[in-house]
Amino acid sequence: MTVLVAGGGIAGLTFALTCHQLGIPVRVFESVQQLQPLGVGINLQPNAVRELIELGLVDQLDAIGVQAEEWALFAKNGKQVWSEPRGTMAGYRWPQYSVHRGRLQMALYEAVLRRLGPDAVVTGAQLVSAQTQESSVIARFRCADGITREESGLLLVGADGIRSALRAQMYPDEGAPRWNGAVMWRGISEHPPVRTSNSFVLVGELSQRFVCYPISRADSRTGLATLNWIAERTLADDGSVWSDSDWNRRASVDEFLPAFQDWDFGWLDAADIIRRAEEAYVYPMVDRDPVPNWIEGRAVLIGDAAHAMYPTGSNGASQAIVDSRLLGAKLIDHGLTEAALHAYQDACLPAINELILRNRGAGPIGLLGIVEERSGGQFEDIEDVVPREEAQQYMAAYKAAAGFSRDTLNASEPVIDRKHYRFQFG
């Protein structure tokens, strides 16, 4: 019997490709009628890139993204707080990629259709509910025509995002995603790369900051790359509920540009980058509280459905990919059983719940909070505020918690032993 997947995002599609690689029948049900390359930029950490390479997607990654070279923090005075190399330039065995989220999703979708066939993904089918039988699970989907269809499978994987129907069934009193008072305006602009050919640059303080990094190579003629940018401000801190967590709600730059109008540091002009955007999107900084269980009978949550977290560590998509591979590994170990779901949960849940809370503390960006507390964001020499050794320990602790500590990752092998692959790629 087939494994059913609710949700055709990064988690669901990666899991479908994993099942195919392992010879496990799988079918994906996606709520939208037609998948489109929506969203803006994301980063894929080396632990996730390793798994996508195992799935034979390295050519697609090279086509849709660029390898990261640097990650750098700057205080609100424009002076450097921290910088470090990333990916292979930092000595990882695998690169870190900056990509357009929608293009990654479409690359995964096209790979699923090519490898599993055109019927592997059912669009216009939104999960409504699920019920475990003695040896199967019945999932009910509402179709675009309003009809509800039932599907039976051995397992159901809920990869249906931050507003997961499966999670809502498991936790009916949870309510809307939790807003921390911050709002992100996001967009893409054609602009020369800042610092290196692919530096992730964040400048400001915890209550207001600007982020930019390329998601394409610079044009050899014009020198322009596609820069993903985020302009973020904290508007409230009272635990208010934000009513809309749709990544694709458009906004006018006039809503937020005045707050960044004077952010010209010579080496970076935030207002200039923002003005070059053809469109901008607004999104609240939301997450979900950690929960003690991701399983209900023969159904399990992965990705944002299980552990939506603030994007302060640039690891939400990466964790979704790793989830998919870890679940696949447990299916090999335990078969298509509830025991496999529990083995997956035992391997992931405690550390990821800790990571959700760590990201609420601003993740690696929390270093700016230390700078602000000690100096008000004004200094000449960062060593007088945060010695490099202290900053290095702070960053190392986050990488270890997020699963991409260099030495630990380099010493490990891919999540699934290749002897189990039904299909080899590359």
Side-chain angles (χ1 to χ4, degrees):
M1 293 179 69
T2 300
V3 174
L4 310 176
V5 179
I10 292 170
L13 295 172
T14 302
F15 180 70
L17 290 170
T18 297
C19 286
H20 171 260
Q21 187 177 51
L22 300 175
I24 299 171
V26 63
R27 202 172 196 198
V28 178
F29 296 83
E30 164 56 40
S31 61
V32 304
Q33 189 67 43
Q34 182 176 1
L35 270 70
Q36 297 178 339
L38 302 176
V40 283
I42 59 173
N43 272 274
L44 298 176
Q45 304 295 345
N47 57 339
V49 171
R50 176 185 68 180
E51 299 307 317
L52 294 178
I53 291 173
E54 287 295 302
L55 284 168
L57 298 172
V58 65
D59 289 342
Q60 288 89 332
L61 287 174
D62 283 335
I64 65 174
V66 289
Q67 293 190 20
E69 297 179 15
E70 182 191 43
W71 192 91
L73 284 180
F74 296 82
K76 63 184 180 184
N77 62 0
K79 293 184 181 296
Q80 182 174 299
V81 171
W82 176 259
S83 70
E84 63 181 26
R86 281 296 176 102
T88 54
M89 296 194 73
Y92 284 91
R93 290 169 57 188
W94 304 274
Q96 175 178 325
Y97 277 92
S98 302
V99 302
H100 187 285
R101 183 205 170 279
R103 294 189 69 193
L104 173 64
Q105 182 182 11
M106 295 307 294
L108 294 170
Y109 178 52
E110 290 162 7
V112 169
L113 297 183
R114 187 168 59 251
R115 296 177 188 180
L116 283 73
D119 296 329
V121 179
V122 179
T123 58
Q126 183 172 14
L127 181 68
V128 175
S129 63
Q131 182 179 6
T132 292
Q133 308 290 323
E134 183 176 349
S135 58
S136 65
V137 61
I138 305 297
R140 296 174 182 84
F141 297 91
R142 183 180 299 108
C143 300
D145 57 9
I147 296 175
T148 298
R149 63 185 283 182
E150 289 191 353
E151 296 285 337
S152 177
L154 280 179
L155 300 172
L156 170 65
V157 175
D160 47 346
I162 194 168
R163 294 188 179 278
S164 166
L166 180 59
R167 180 171 173 134
Q169 176 176 304
M170 295 169 63
Y171 296 97
D173 298 326
E174 185 173 38
R178 181 183 181 278
W179 181 43
N180 75 346
V183 174
M184 299 175 288
W185 291 271
R186 308 187 61 152
I188 53 176
S189 300
E190 296 302 308
H191 188 279
V194 178
R195 287 176 63 85
T196 73
S197 61
N198 188 9
S199 287
F200 175 105
V201 171
L202 186 151
V203 59
E205 56 186 320
L206 294 185
S207 62
Q208 182 173 345
R209 53 197 189 235
F210 182 78
V211 177
C212 67
Y213 56 88
I215 54 174
S216 78
R217 296 174 182 83
D219 186 277
S220 59
R221 295 177 298 104
T222 65
L224 301 179
T226 302
L227 254 61
N228 178 78
W229 55 261
I230 305 166
E232 180 184 330
R233 296 186 68 204
T234 298
L235 302 182
D237 57 5
D238 57 2
S240 304
V241 174
W242 183 279
S243 62
D244 187 357
S245 55
D246 182 351
W247 274 108
N248 306 304
R249 187 163 72 80
R250 294 190 178 185
S252 167
V253 296
D254 294 333
E255 292 179 26
F256 61 94
L257 183 58
F260 295 88
Q261 188 67 48
D262 299 327
W263 284 41
D264 184 354
F265 305 104
W267 58 273
L268 179 143
D269 185 343
D272 177 57
I273 294 173
I274 292 169
R275 286 194 205 96
R276 296 185 185 213
E278 293 186 3
E279 53 194 10
Y281 302 87
V282 62
Y283 185 73
M285 183 80 84
V286 294
D287 70 356
R288 290 285 193 186
D289 285 328
V291 291
N293 178 53
W294 297 338
I295 300 167
E296 185 175 85
R298 288 181 165 268
V300 66
L301 304 173
I302 66 171
D304 278 354
H307 48 68
M309 62 185 75
Y310 297 155
T312 52
S314 301
N315 54 4
S318 295
Q319 189 59 55
I321 291 165
V322 173
D323 282 1
S324 302
R325 301 294 284 173
L326 282 168
L327 180 54
K330 300 310 178 185
L331 296 181
I332 291 297
D333 293 342
H334 301 276
L336 304 184
T337 65
E338 292 181 45
L341 307 187
H342 284 279
Y344 153 73
Q345 176 173 277
D346 291 345
C348 298
L349 185 144
I352 293 179
N353 279 353
E354 179 185 335
L355 188 60
I356 293 171
L357 299 178
R358 190 179 287 264
N359 277 10
R360 283 184 181 175
I365 301 168
L367 199 56
L368 289 179
I370 297 174
V371 171
E372 192 70 19
E373 181 181 312
R374 295 179 185 176
S375 70
Q378 301 298 327
F379 57 86
E380 290 300 322
D381 186 348
I382 189 60
E383 280 285 331
D384 297 332
V385 183
V386 182
R388 183 166 182 81
E389 183 177 352
E390 180 185 352
Q392 197 161 21
Q393 291 173 353
Y394 186 95
M395 298 300 296
Y398 184 82
K399 291 174 190 172
F404 61 97
S405 173
R406 185 193 63 190
D407 293 345
T408 301
L409 185 61
N410 282 351
S412 67
E413 294 304 319
V415 170
I416 301 174
D417 192 319
R418 291 173 183 166
K419 70 182 180 183
H420 298 300
Y421 292 177
R422 186 73 61 89
F423 300 98
Q424 295 276 356
F425 302 99

